[in-house]
Amino acid sequence: VQLVESGGGLVQPGGSLRLSCDVSGFSFDDYAIAWFRQVPEKEREGIAVISSSDSTTEYADSVKGRFTISFDDTKTTVYLQLNSLKPEYTAVYYCSADSADLLRLDPTDYGLWGQGTQVTVSP
């Protein structure tokens, strides 16, 4: 399984970004893809997850109403739309895959990670 994140960058407060997670080599019929973020010296935080079986989603309270997770038509890419960005959202954003399709946001339930993409929100 390979996960490759992209789309990060520098954006002003209030701006938007769309992150992408390209997933390959995943052979399970039903699974979940989740996004996490991490800042230095803090634990990785689960922020959004989507189910491959019915595209149901779950979000951390801290991002509800601001971030949207979605699949592309082929379900080989998972997007994370980030809106109304704040400086405190500056972090490295990672995606991961879960064969259990349980909409989990605890990073300890995930074992495979991409390299991450840096999002910096600053004037």
Side-chain angles (χ1 to χ4, degrees):
V1 179
Q2 187 174 18
L3 303 155
V4 179
E5 302 95 336
S6 62
L10 174 64
V11 62
Q12 293 186 343
S16 299
L17 280 175
R18 189 176 76 164
L19 307 183
S20 298
C21 172
D22 294 322
V23 183
S24 61
F26 208 70
S27 60
F28 293 94
D29 290 335
D30 296 321
Y31 55 92
I33 303 293
W35 281 96
F36 300 80
R37 63 186 177 190
Q38 188 169 23
V39 297
E41 301 182 351
K42 288 193 174 181
E43 293 185 354
R44 196 164 293 187
E45 175 193 11
I47 53 177
V49 59
I50 186 167
S51 164
S52 70
S53 59
D54 58 7
S55 294
T56 54
T57 59
E58 187 69 34
Y59 295 92
D61 289 342
S62 58
V63 303
K64 280 182 182 177
R66 293 180 182 269
F67 293 0
T68 303
I69 189 171
S70 62
F71 275 112
D72 73 336
D73 290 343
T74 63
K75 293 190 176 178
T76 57
T77 300
V78 175
Y79 301 110
L80 185 67
Q81 179 69 39
L82 286 60
N83 296 327
S84 303
L85 285 165
K86 302 178 179 180
E88 54 261 45
Y89 292 159
T90 294
V92 179
Y93 285 71
Y94 299 89
C95 63
S96 188
D98 184 1
S99 61
D101 196 16
L102 293 176
L103 295 180
R104 300 187 283 195
L105 287 175
D106 185 341
T108 63
D109 291 322
Y110 294 78
L112 185 65
W113 302 92
Q115 83 288 350
T117 186
Q118 176 72 46
V119 172
T120 302
V121 185
S122 179

